[in-house]
Structures are given as C-alpha cells and as structure tokens.
Amino acid sequence: MDTFTRVHVVISLIGILSGLIVLYGMLTANRMNGWTMLFLVTTVATSVTGFGFPFHGVTPAIILGVLSLIVLTAAIAARYVFHLAGSGRWIYVVGSVVALYFNVFVLVVQSFLKIPALHTLAPKGSEPPFAIAQGIVLVLFVVAAILSVKRFHPVPA
C-alpha cells in the first residue's frame, strides 16, 4: 500500500469513527461541535482524496464521491450557514447520515475485497454474503436517519 492510499484510508477511518460519534450525538440531541467538525472535514477529505486515484472513465466510486460531496455541501451549509434553522436541521441530519453511510458502504466493499475470509465468501462482490452485509448496513442507516431526524432538536448554541 503506497503512502497516498494509507493517508486516504486513515482519513476515511477517522471520518467513519467521528461520524458514528456524531450520529450518536444526533440521536441524543447533542451538537457535538468538535466531533462534527472533525467528521465533516475528514469526510470531505475522504471524497476529495478519492479522486486522486488513477481512473479511466466514470466508475461507481467516482459517482459515489460526487454524490458524497453534494450531500456534504448541503449538510455543511445547513449546519454552518443556516445554523440548523427551519429545514436546515433535517437537511444537516440527512446529509450527514447519508455521507456516513456512503463511507461505511465503501468500508464494507473494501473489507470484502481485502480481508481474505470475507473475500472467500464473496469474491465477485455480488454473492449473498456481500448483499446481506450491505443490506444490513443500509437498514441500520435508514433507521438511524429516521430516528435522528425525530430526535435531533438541539438547544440553540
């Protein structure tokens, strides 16, 4: 693994870990300002550095990176420009949860590609174990998004 890939992976893992902490904050109506900044910065950095890998044409990874930057732009604007006012609250929550889901989706993909035991279960990435894992992740994030939208009504800063 080269240095660029290592940096990208470390940034991604920091984004996922901090994102899970922020998700907990949303579920408990806690702004978690420092964690939120770390999550948003590292998640943007993950998407941006993802474009630094060699590619030929549009791939699913490129599309996911663009979609991630779109939802992150909306989440950042809702949080820091509109200060969660009005629809800004749910836009921030949904955008953040979707961006985190995208990173976890990629984590599952990479896990099935790189971890021998998982790769054996789904060498093509289309077998039932892979689909089941991604389905579980999707369901968990949909539930988390719904609960976060309902619960994240933080006290104004």
Side-chain angles (χ1 to χ4, degrees):
M1 187 183 311
D2 67 7
T3 302
F4 182 79
T5 302
R6 280 192 182 106
V7 169
H8 174 77
V9 168
V10 168
I11 293 168
S12 300
L13 293 174
I14 293 168
I16 290 169
L17 178 61
S18 59
L20 291 171
I21 293 167
V22 169
L23 178 58
Y24 173 77
M26 288 188 276
L27 290 167
T28 59
N30 185 334
R31 289 175 177 268
M32 298 205 165
N33 294 324
W35 286 107
T36 297
M37 181 65 74
L38 179 64
F39 163 64
L40 293 171
V41 167
T42 55
T43 304
V44 167
T46 296
S47 294
V48 171
T49 59
F51 294 114
F53 292 100
F55 65 93
H56 307 312
V58 177
T59 65
I62 297 295
I63 293 168
L64 194 63
V66 169
L67 291 174
S68 182
L69 289 172
I70 291 168
V71 298
L72 284 163
T73 299
I76 291 166
R79 174 77 189 239
Y80 297 106
V81 176
F82 300 106
H83 307 286
L84 304 174
S87 59
R89 181 189 60 80
W90 70 263
I91 291 170
Y92 161 70
V93 170
V94 171
S96 295
V97 174
V98 169
L100 178 58
Y101 165 72
F102 286 162
N103 277 353
V104 172
F105 177 89
V106 172
L107 176 65
V108 172
V109 169
Q110 291 299 316
S111 296
F112 273 90
L113 287 173
K114 309 285 190 214
I115 298 172
L118 293 177
H119 187 72
T120 301
L121 293 173
K124 295 179 185 175
S126 58
E127 294 82 1
F130 176 79
I132 291 167
Q134 289 293 23
I136 290 169
V137 168
L138 177 61
V139 168
L140 289 173
F141 274 91
V142 167
V143 169
I146 291 167
L147 291 174
S148 293
V149 167
K150 288 182 179 183
R151 295 179 180 178
F152 187 68
H153 295 278
V155 177

PDB file of all heavy atoms in Angstrom, residues 74-91:
ATOM      1  N   ALA A  74     -24.567  20.207   1.250  1.00  0.00           N
ATOM      2  CA  ALA A  74     -25.870  20.548   1.841  1.00  0.00           C
ATOM      3  C   ALA A  74     -25.802  20.489   3.365  1.00  0.00           C
ATOM      4  O   ALA A  74     -26.316  21.391   4.055  1.00  0.00           O
ATOM      5  CB  ALA A  74     -26.945  19.597   1.316  1.00  0.00           C
ATOM      6  N   ALA A  75     -25.169  19.452   3.908  1.00  0.00           N
ATOM      7  CA  ALA A  75     -25.079  19.308   5.367  1.00  0.00           C
ATOM      8  C   ALA A  75     -24.260  20.430   5.993  1.00  0.00           C
ATOM      9  O   ALA A  75     -24.650  20.991   7.028  1.00  0.00           O
ATOM     10  CB  ALA A  75     -24.471  17.951   5.725  1.00  0.00           C
ATOM     11  N   ILE A  76     -23.151  20.767   5.362  1.00  0.00           N
ATOM     12  CA  ILE A  76     -22.295  21.840   5.886  1.00  0.00           C
ATOM     13  C   ILE A  76     -23.023  23.181   5.842  1.00  0.00           C
ATOM     14  O   ILE A  76     -22.985  23.952   6.811  1.00  0.00           O
ATOM     15  CB  ILE A  76     -20.963  21.886   5.121  1.00  0.00           C
ATOM     16  CG1 ILE A  76     -20.132  20.642   5.471  1.00  0.00           C
ATOM     17  CG2 ILE A  76     -20.189  23.168   5.412  1.00  0.00           C
ATOM     18  CD1 ILE A  76     -18.953  20.387   4.550  1.00  0.00           C
ATOM     19  N   ALA A  77     -23.707  23.457   4.740  1.00  0.00           N
ATOM     20  CA  ALA A  77     -24.470  24.708   4.634  1.00  0.00           C
ATOM     21  C   ALA A  77     -25.577  24.754   5.683  1.00  0.00           C
ATOM     22  O   ALA A  77     -25.775  25.775   6.354  1.00  0.00           O
ATOM     23  CB  ALA A  77     -25.049  24.865   3.232  1.00  0.00           C
ATOM     24  N   ALA A  78     -26.289  23.646   5.847  1.00  0.00           N
ATOM     25  CA  ALA A  78     -27.380  23.607   6.831  1.00  0.00           C
ATOM     26  C   ALA A  78     -26.856  23.843   8.243  1.00  0.00           C
ATOM     27  O   ALA A  78     -27.487  24.540   9.038  1.00  0.00           O
ATOM     28  CB  ALA A  78     -28.100  22.263   6.750  1.00  0.00           C
ATOM     29  N   ARG A  79     -25.693  23.297   8.536  1.00  0.00           N
ATOM     30  CA  ARG A  79     -25.139  23.417   9.893  1.00  0.00           C
ATOM     31  C   ARG A  79     -24.488  24.775  10.140  1.00  0.00           C
ATOM     32  O   ARG A  79     -24.729  25.413  11.158  1.00  0.00           O
ATOM     33  CB  ARG A  79     -24.103  22.294  10.100  1.00  0.00           C
ATOM     34  CG  ARG A  79     -23.335  22.351  11.405  1.00  0.00           C
ATOM     35  CD  ARG A  79     -24.159  21.870  12.574  1.00  0.00           C
ATOM     36  NE  ARG A  79     -23.502  22.110  13.834  1.00  0.00           N
ATOM     37  CZ  ARG A  79     -23.174  21.197  14.715  1.00  0.00           C
ATOM     38  NH1 ARG A  79     -23.442  19.938  14.482  1.00  0.00           N
ATOM     39  NH2 ARG A  79     -22.601  21.533  15.838  1.00  0.00           N
ATOM     40  N   TYR A  80     -23.646  25.224   9.207  1.00  0.00           N
ATOM     41  CA  TYR A  80     -22.808  26.386   9.478  1.00  0.00           C
ATOM     42  C   TYR A  80     -23.270  27.676   8.819  1.00  0.00           C
ATOM     43  O   TYR A  80     -22.885  28.752   9.273  1.00  0.00           O
ATOM     44  CB  TYR A  80     -21.353  26.084   9.099  1.00  0.00           C
ATOM     45  CG  TYR A  80     -20.786  24.966   9.934  1.00  0.00           C
ATOM     46  CD1 TYR A  80     -20.592  23.704   9.401  1.00  0.00           C
ATOM     47  CD2 TYR A  80     -20.482  25.174  11.276  1.00  0.00           C
ATOM     48  CE1 TYR A  80     -20.083  22.669  10.181  1.00  0.00           C
ATOM     49  CE2 TYR A  80     -19.984  24.149  12.061  1.00  0.00           C
ATOM     50  CZ  TYR A  80     -19.789  22.899  11.508  1.00  0.00           C
ATOM     51  OH  TYR A  80     -19.300  21.884  12.285  1.00  0.00           O
ATOM     52  N   VAL A  81     -24.082  27.591   7.792  1.00  0.00           N
ATOM     53  CA  VAL A  81     -24.606  28.805   7.151  1.00  0.00           C
ATOM     54  C   VAL A  81     -25.996  29.114   7.684  1.00  0.00           C
ATOM     55  O   VAL A  81     -26.294  30.237   8.070  1.00  0.00           O
ATOM     56  CB  VAL A  81     -24.622  28.674   5.611  1.00  0.00           C
ATOM     57  CG1 VAL A  81     -25.258  29.896   4.962  1.00  0.00           C
ATOM     58  CG2 VAL A  81     -23.211  28.439   5.069  1.00  0.00           C
ATOM     59  N   PHE A  82     -26.838  28.086   7.733  1.00  0.00           N
ATOM     60  CA  PHE A  82     -28.226  28.287   8.169  1.00  0.00           C
ATOM     61  C   PHE A  82     -28.438  27.928   9.635  1.00  0.00           C
ATOM     62  O   PHE A  82     -29.541  28.063  10.155  1.00  0.00           O
ATOM     63  CB  PHE A  82     -29.171  27.500   7.252  1.00  0.00           C
ATOM     64  CG  PHE A  82     -29.059  27.947   5.817  1.00  0.00           C
ATOM     65  CD1 PHE A  82     -28.408  27.163   4.877  1.00  0.00           C
ATOM     66  CD2 PHE A  82     -29.555  29.174   5.417  1.00  0.00           C
ATOM     67  CE1 PHE A  82     -28.276  27.579   3.560  1.00  0.00           C
ATOM     68  CE2 PHE A  82     -29.428  29.609   4.107  1.00  0.00           C
ATOM     69  CZ  PHE A  82     -28.777  28.805   3.177  1.00  0.00           C
ATOM     70  N   HIS A  83     -27.390  27.469  10.329  1.00  0.00           N
ATOM     71  CA  HIS A  83     -27.399  27.215  11.769  1.00  0.00           C
ATOM     72  C   HIS A  83     -28.562  26.336  12.216  1.00  0.00           C
ATOM     73  O   HIS A  83     -29.180  26.589  13.252  1.00  0.00           O
ATOM     74  CB  HIS A  83     -27.368  28.535  12.541  1.00  0.00           C
ATOM     75  CG  HIS A  83     -26.239  29.413  12.116  1.00  0.00           C
ATOM     76  ND1 HIS A  83     -24.926  29.156  12.459  1.00  0.00           N
ATOM     77  CD2 HIS A  83     -26.213  30.519  11.318  1.00  0.00           C
ATOM     78  CE1 HIS A  83     -24.147  30.081  11.911  1.00  0.00           C
ATOM     79  NE2 HIS A  83     -24.894  30.916  11.217  1.00  0.00           N
ATOM     80  N   LEU A  84     -28.877  25.344  11.385  1.00  0.00           N
ATOM     81  CA  LEU A  84     -29.912  24.343  11.677  1.00  0.00           C
ATOM     82  C   LEU A  84     -31.317  24.935  11.748  1.00  0.00           C
ATOM     83  O   LEU A  84     -32.240  24.271  12.228  1.00  0.00           O
ATOM     84  CB  LEU A  84     -29.588  23.585  12.975  1.00  0.00           C
ATOM     85  CG  LEU A  84     -28.236  22.892  13.033  1.00  0.00           C
ATOM     86  CD1 LEU A  84     -27.992  22.317  14.432  1.00  0.00           C
ATOM     87  CD2 LEU A  84     -28.134  21.805  11.986  1.00  0.00           C
ATOM     88  N   ALA A  85     -31.490  26.158  11.275  1.00  0.00           N
ATOM     89  CA  ALA A  85     -32.807  26.798  11.333  1.00  0.00           C
ATOM     90  C   ALA A  85     -33.739  26.190  10.283  1.00  0.00           C
ATOM     91  O   ALA A  85     -33.319  25.840   9.186  1.00  0.00           O
ATOM     92  CB  ALA A  85     -32.677  28.301  11.090  1.00  0.00           C
ATOM     93  N   GLY A  86     -35.003  26.066  10.656  1.00  0.00           N
ATOM     94  CA  GLY A  86     -36.018  25.568   9.730  1.00  0.00           C
ATOM     95  C   GLY A  86     -35.658  24.196   9.194  1.00  0.00           C
ATOM     96  O   GLY A  86     -35.325  23.284   9.934  1.00  0.00           O
ATOM     97  N   SER A  87     -35.698  24.069   7.866  1.00  0.00           N
ATOM     98  CA  SER A  87     -35.385  22.785   7.249  1.00  0.00           C
ATOM     99  C   SER A  87     -33.895  22.453   7.338  1.00  0.00           C
ATOM    100  O   SER A  87     -33.491  21.332   7.044  1.00  0.00           O
ATOM    101  CB  SER A  87     -35.852  22.774   5.794  1.00  0.00           C
ATOM    102  OG  SER A  87     -35.227  23.812   5.073  1.00  0.00           O
ATOM    103  N   GLY A  88     -33.097  23.412   7.767  1.00  0.00           N
ATOM    104  CA  GLY A  88     -31.671  23.171   7.927  1.00  0.00           C
ATOM    105  C   GLY A  88     -31.357  22.035   8.880  1.00  0.00           C
ATOM    106  O   GLY A  88     -30.369  21.316   8.694  1.00  0.00           O
ATOM    107  N   ARG A  89     -32.202  21.859   9.884  1.00  0.00           N
ATOM    108  CA  ARG A  89     -31.976  20.796  10.869  1.00  0.00           C
ATOM    109  C   ARG A  89     -32.039  19.430  10.201  1.00  0.00           C
ATOM    110  O   ARG A  89     -31.116  18.626  10.295  1.00  0.00           O
ATOM    111  CB  ARG A  89     -33.003  20.882  11.998  1.00  0.00           C
ATOM    112  CG  ARG A  89     -32.820  19.830  13.082  1.00  0.00           C
ATOM    113  CD  ARG A  89     -34.000  19.836  14.058  1.00  0.00           C
ATOM    114  NE  ARG A  89     -35.251  19.555  13.396  1.00  0.00           N
ATOM    115  CZ  ARG A  89     -35.672  18.328  13.067  1.00  0.00           C
ATOM    116  NH1 ARG A  89     -34.939  17.273  13.355  1.00  0.00           N
ATOM    117  NH2 ARG A  89     -36.825  18.145  12.458  1.00  0.00           N
ATOM    118  N   TRP A  90     -33.116  19.156   9.486  1.00  0.00           N
ATOM    119  CA  TRP A  90     -33.226  17.822   8.896  1.00  0.00           C
ATOM    120  C   TRP A  90     -32.304  17.658   7.688  1.00  0.00           C
ATOM    121  O   TRP A  90     -31.837  16.551   7.415  1.00  0.00           O
ATOM    122  CB  TRP A  90     -34.672  17.444   8.566  1.00  0.00           C
ATOM    123  CG  TRP A  90     -35.304  18.182   7.420  1.00  0.00           C
ATOM    124  CD1 TRP A  90     -36.118  19.267   7.494  1.00  0.00           C
ATOM    125  CD2 TRP A  90     -35.172  17.867   6.028  1.00  0.00           C
ATOM    126  NE1 TRP A  90     -36.489  19.662   6.232  1.00  0.00           N
ATOM    127  CE2 TRP A  90     -35.933  18.812   5.320  1.00  0.00           C
ATOM    128  CE3 TRP A  90     -34.492  16.882   5.312  1.00  0.00           C
ATOM    129  CZ2 TRP A  90     -36.024  18.809   3.927  1.00  0.00           C
ATOM    130  CZ3 TRP A  90     -34.582  16.878   3.927  1.00  0.00           C
ATOM    131  CH2 TRP A  90     -35.348  17.824   3.253  1.00  0.00           C
ATOM    132  N   ILE A  91     -32.007  18.738   6.976  1.00  0.00           N
ATOM    133  CA  ILE A  91     -31.055  18.648   5.864  1.00  0.00           C
ATOM    134  C   ILE A  91     -29.671  18.272   6.398  1.00  0.00           C
ATOM    135  O   ILE A  91     -28.979  17.428   5.831  1.00  0.00           O
ATOM    136  CB  ILE A  91     -31.018  19.957   5.051  1.00  0.00           C
ATOM    137  CG1 ILE A  91     -32.339  20.128   4.296  1.00  0.00           C
ATOM    138  CG2 ILE A  91     -29.821  19.998   4.104  1.00  0.00           C
ATOM    139  CD1 ILE A  91     -32.517  21.488   3.656  1.00  0.00           C
TER     140      ILE A  91
END
